[in-house]
Amino acid sequence: MTAMDSSGELPEVRLKDLRAGLPPVHVLGRVVTVSRKEITGKSDGRRHAVLSGLLSDGTATVRFTWWDPPAEGVDRGTVLRAVNAQVREFRERPELSFGWSTRIQPASDLELPALRADDLPLRGVADLHPPAEGFRLEVRVVDVMERTVTVGQERRVVHSGRLADGTGSIPFTSWIDFRLKPGNTVRIVGGYVRSFRGAPEVTLDERSHLEGIAPDLVPPTPAPATPRLSLGELESRGGGPEVEVGGLVVALGSPSGVVHLCPTCGRVLQEGICRHHGALEGVPDLRIRLHLDDGTGVATVNLSRNLAEKLAGRTLDQFLDRLKRQPDPSLNEQQLRQQLVGRRLRVRGRARVDEFGLALYPSACDEVTVPPDPAVDLLAARLTERVG
Ligand SMILES: [Zn+2]
């Protein structure tokens, strides 16, 4: 790179102000991505090295092409000052071209423009995709936690969590402790978006600026839409982290009723024995396992104590009490079967497919009273006959 006097005659132009058709410009920016390739020149038939990538000054990110760059290339993260760069247009977006007449020198972070919140467009978190930059966010901190990561040889503390606004929520990682607390409402400038495990994430660092704002400036976040699927469709998808299904209870599975859990590992004891810890005194708990059918498929629904108590309309203590009076567990089970088979349920939660088929682990389970489907009604009628 050639050293030059940075007090060149051309004034600096912010990347957000680049327009095709401008005369050669003077820009400053950080290399966000860069890759090198060799192409054959049309006029001389010689091989030329070309660097291309993205340059950002915090107000915008633009593509650049650098013809015949220095042999050592340029590292990602380097801040460059380029005088006499050409502005081209590609797919209606401005791009920079550094050619033989462009003078380029390294610059420092401190020379990058100070970001003013009002200059930057307000964006909703649901509309952020990498490598977005040069935006303003007005968000609520949903949660935040501190963890230590190793970067090269160095241990660093990062703060990560989720930010939300009226459009949705997005994970964030901050390399600086901004002392964020859940529920804080903040205006953020100088963040950028990268992809982490395939999903967009907001990254905050030394160049980010945060200020507290009034809570009413951040609209409430809509609840994420839960996909409503048929059981057949859900099974062919292999389950999902949060789904909603409906159907009819066609049978009661085992275990249903009072179970005893190993106090060490929490597994359900089989005849007083834990597979891992042997014979022991278990802790009483309640489970209901149902088979749900919607005409397209069948699922096993595993209800934990809270949902089982709610659906059965009886508490664990009431179940235990009955067992004390009539020490035959099949009576409880029979009562549950009569009570539940034929009922139409709406279930929300996690679903997976294992060797026994589709299994649901609900976070919510409600009885549905609206008759949705004549085929299911017919099934209900048949089942009720069989049970009754
Ligand atoms: Zn155990």
Side-chain angles (χ1 to χ4, degrees):
M1 274 176 243
T2 355
M4 69 151 254
D5 183 0
S6 59
S7 66
E9 318 77 48
L10 282 176
E12 266 175 48
V13 176
R14 294 288 160 253
L15 297 182
K16 73 177 169 63
D17 297 324
L18 291 183
R19 300 286 177 271
L22 282 180
V25 292
H26 170 181
V27 293
L28 187 68
R30 183 197 303 275
V31 176
V32 181
T33 64
V34 61
S35 63
R36 185 187 187 94
K37 59 183 175 185
E38 300 239 323
I39 59 167
T40 307
K42 276 190 186 124
S43 49
D44 56 8
R46 282 174 44 211
R47 305 283 285 165
H48 292 265
V50 177
L51 291 182
S52 60
L54 293 170
L55 197 70
S56 169
D57 67 356
T59 70
T61 302
V62 299
R63 277 178 56 93
F64 70 89
T65 307
W66 188 346
W67 305 90
D68 293 313
E72 71 272 19
V74 63
D75 291 328
R76 201 152 55 96
T78 307
V79 178
L80 297 176
R81 180 184 299 283
V83 179
N84 267 334
Q86 307 286 328
V87 187
R88 304 255 160 82
E89 194 178 60
F90 184 68
R91 292 189 181 141
E92 295 172 26
R93 286 175 59 94
E95 292 193 1
L96 288 164
S97 173
F98 305 154
W100 63 271
S101 62
T102 311
R103 285 168 296 160
I104 296 180
Q105 68 168 149
S108 115
D109 279 17
L110 299 173
E111 296 176 77
L112 286 169
L115 297 173
R116 289 209 359 237
D118 297 345
D119 292 344
L120 300 174
L122 177 64
R123 300 279 297 273
V125 297
D127 310 321
L128 296 176
H129 304 285
E133 181 154 28
F135 52 78
R136 168 166 55 104
L137 297 177
E138 292 179 356
V139 289
R140 179 175 291 107
V141 178
V142 180
D143 52 53
V144 57
M145 58 174 259
E146 187 182 298
R147 64 197 161 93
T148 308
V149 296
T150 307
V151 182
Q153 305 282 332
E154 203 188 341
R155 305 269 287 161
R156 288 186 66 175
V157 174
V158 296
H159 294 82
S160 58
R162 283 192 90 78
L163 303 172
D165 62 14
T167 68
S169 73
I170 193 169
F172 78 95
T173 292
S174 176
W175 297 95
I176 303 285
D177 184 3
F178 288 107
R179 298 179 189 284
L180 292 174
K181 300 266 180 304
N184 285 168
T185 42
V186 287
R187 176 175 293 132
I188 299 177
V189 294
Y192 58 95
V193 181
R194 61 174 198 137
S195 176
F196 182 66
R197 292 182 184 145
E201 181 183 86
V202 171
T203 305
L204 307 175
D205 62 14
E206 300 77 11
R207 299 197 56 239
S208 310
H209 179 78
L210 276 70
E211 60 180 311
I213 55 174
D216 58 1
L217 287 177
V218 183
T221 306
T226 308
R228 178 84 201 254
L229 299 169
S230 73
L231 293 174
E233 210 177 330
L234 185 58
E235 181 162 11
S236 63
R237 284 191 187 193
E242 176 74 15
V243 298
E244 186 179 313
V245 295
L248 206 65
V249 179
V250 292
L252 198 68
S254 182
S256 284
V258 174
V259 295
H260 289 84
L261 306 181
C262 169
T264 308
C265 67
R267 284 186 177 82
V268 174
L269 303 184
Q270 307 289 336
E271 291 168 5
I273 296 169
C274 170
R275 269 196 288 148
H276 290 258
H277 299 100
L280 38 80
E281 187 74 22
V283 183
D285 203 346
L286 192 64
R287 293 284 182 276
I288 294 179
R289 184 170 282 178
L290 305 167
H291 298 292
L292 204 67
D293 190 324
D294 72 348
T296 71
V298 193
T300 304
V301 181
N302 300 284
L303 297 173
S304 57
R305 177 174 164 188
N306 286 346
L307 294 178
E309 285 183 332
K310 187 181 143 204
L311 196 64
R314 276 173 294 154
T315 63
L316 171 62
D317 286 338
Q318 288 171 309
F319 275 91
L320 288 170
D321 201 45
R322 169 151 193 187
L323 269 181
K324 226 176 272 169
R325 286 183 282 116
Q326 296 171 296
D328 177 1
S330 71
L331 291 177
N332 265 329
E333 205 175 306
Q334 197 182 322
Q335 190 185 2
L336 277 175
R337 184 173 293 113
Q338 277 173 357
Q339 191 184 353
L340 299 179
V341 171
R343 277 167 78 172
R344 188 177 291 114
L345 302 180
R346 181 166 46 223
V347 176
R348 236 168 197 273
R350 185 168 63 86
R352 68 184 185 99
V353 175
D354 60 23
E355 70 253 54
F356 304 109
L358 183 61
L360 286 159
Y361 301 88
S363 52
C365 175
D366 297 285
E367 182 162 15
V368 187
T369 42
V370 216
D373 187 340
V376 176
D377 284 341
L378 196 68
L379 187 60
R382 282 213 307 268
L383 282 163
T384 322
E385 275 166 33
R386 206 191 303 163
V387 173

